[in-house]
Amino acid sequence: MRTRRYGSAADQVGDLWLPDGEVPDTGWPVVVLIHGGFWRHQYVRTLTEPLARDLARRGLAAWNLEYRRVPPPDVVIREEDRGGWPATLQDVADGVDRLGDLDAPVDLGRVAVVGHSAGGQLALWAAGRSRLPAGAVGAGPRVPLAAVVGLAPVADLRGGERAGMGNGAMADLLGGGSDTVPERWELADPLGLVGHGVPVLLVHGEDDESVPPTQTAAYADAVRAAGDEVEVFTGPADHMAVIDPVEPLWQRAATWLEERLGVDLRR
């Protein structure tokens, strides 16, 4: 594992995990990992490190991103290190695009993004960047995506706001509610960016009390209505089980990624 920078702020870093063994002729397929935590400062990329290790064991490189997050109101932090609108979204865009100039044996034709919880919102948003208007934060992606996976994703921001999810986390991320800064919500909500053409997998535990499965259902319905490809895996699991490498839902997701990215399953 090697930590690389994609910007000058403290949290603009990612950990690149590479598999053992002979590098494929075109480089390793690579999965960008985006952790959750309702975009709040106290949650960090160690949450998704077990997935990075598992992916590397399976023959997939993993780019485990950190990004600027929203600090508590009583915490003093340098302005350039503060997350929220638009920094958090810009970091994800820059972190994904950084794959294009990493000095590493990765295959830019086989890139997937996987996000958990609030990181699921960021992953699905990354898949929808091609739908953003010119000049919007994250518009004009440089690295095409072959697949995207939302693990218990926050996929419907307005639905989450109505349900009171995260004790105001979405308004904290975007600097106001959907009634006060509606243009930001339109640009950040994955539900409004479907039709991007990236194959989608959604994974959700039926016992999730943090992000209800209705979030996945709403996004899946929107993707189908747009005519794009989506699969949904569900099962008896809570919110954190989907990022546990030994749990069945993650294992199904990892197998889906192996198939989508063309991993040699004989490894």
Side-chain angles (χ1 to χ4, degrees):
M1 185 275 287
R2 291 177 288 175
T3 300
R4 305 287 190 86
R5 301 205 62 83
Y6 63 87
S8 59
D11 287 325
Q12 290 175 320
V13 297
D15 296 331
L16 182 65
W17 296 76
L18 296 177
D20 293 328
E22 185 177 350
V23 179
D25 291 343
T26 61
W28 300 109
V30 59
V31 177
V32 181
L33 292 170
I34 308 175
H35 71 82
F38 278 122
W39 311 278
R40 289 178 172 137
H41 195 261
Q42 63 265 42
Y43 300 99
V44 296
R45 67 189 184 279
T46 53
L47 285 168
T48 41
E49 185 172 309
L51 302 188
R53 293 178 182 274
D54 186 62
L55 290 167
R57 182 184 62 80
R58 292 171 179 268
L60 292 150
W63 178 226
N64 192 22
L65 281 185
E66 195 54 88
Y67 53 92
R68 287 174 291 179
R69 302 165 311 286
V70 179
D74 58 344
V75 170
V76 177
I77 188 171
R78 297 189 309 167
E79 190 60 32
E80 57 266 36
D81 292 331
R82 182 178 295 273
W85 177 269
T88 296
L89 297 175
Q90 188 64 62
D91 282 0
V92 169
D94 291 347
V96 174
D97 288 346
R98 178 74 169 90
L99 285 172
D101 53 20
L102 277 180
D103 180 18
V106 296
D107 184 348
L108 297 181
R110 295 188 290 169
V111 178
V113 178
V114 175
H116 173 239
S117 193
Q121 176 266 328
L122 295 169
L124 297 174
W125 173 85
R129 288 172 60 198
S130 61
R131 302 278 295 166
L132 291 166
V137 57
R142 294 194 292 114
V143 174
L145 300 183
V148 62
V149 179
L151 305 171
V154 180
D156 173 8
L157 292 184
R158 288 181 176 83
E161 182 187 40
R162 290 192 297 271
M165 281 172 44
N167 296 317
M170 285 155 283
D172 291 342
L173 171 71
L174 298 175
S178 62
D179 57 339
T180 57
V181 286
E183 69 286 349
R184 296 182 182 181
W185 285 69
E186 290 175 6
L187 295 173
D189 197 338
L191 204 63
L193 300 175
V194 295
H196 46 66
V198 180
V200 177
L201 173 65
L202 303 171
V203 180
H204 220 120
E206 296 166 347
D207 306 317
D208 194 326
E209 296 183 353
S210 298
V211 177
T214 52
Q215 286 277 311
T216 276
Y219 189 79
D221 287 346
V223 173
R224 292 188 188 105
D228 280 349
E229 179 183 351
V230 60
E231 295 183 60
V232 179
F233 295 163
T234 61
D238 62 18
H239 187 62
M240 300 305 291
V242 294
I243 58 170
D244 186 336
V246 305
E247 290 290 334
L249 283 180
W250 167 252
Q251 292 175 16
R252 290 181 69 190
T255 298
W256 186 89
L257 284 165
E258 289 174 332
E259 294 170 351
R260 285 287 169 175
L261 299 181
V263 174
D264 185 351
L265 300 181
R266 295 170 297 177
R267 282 175 55 85

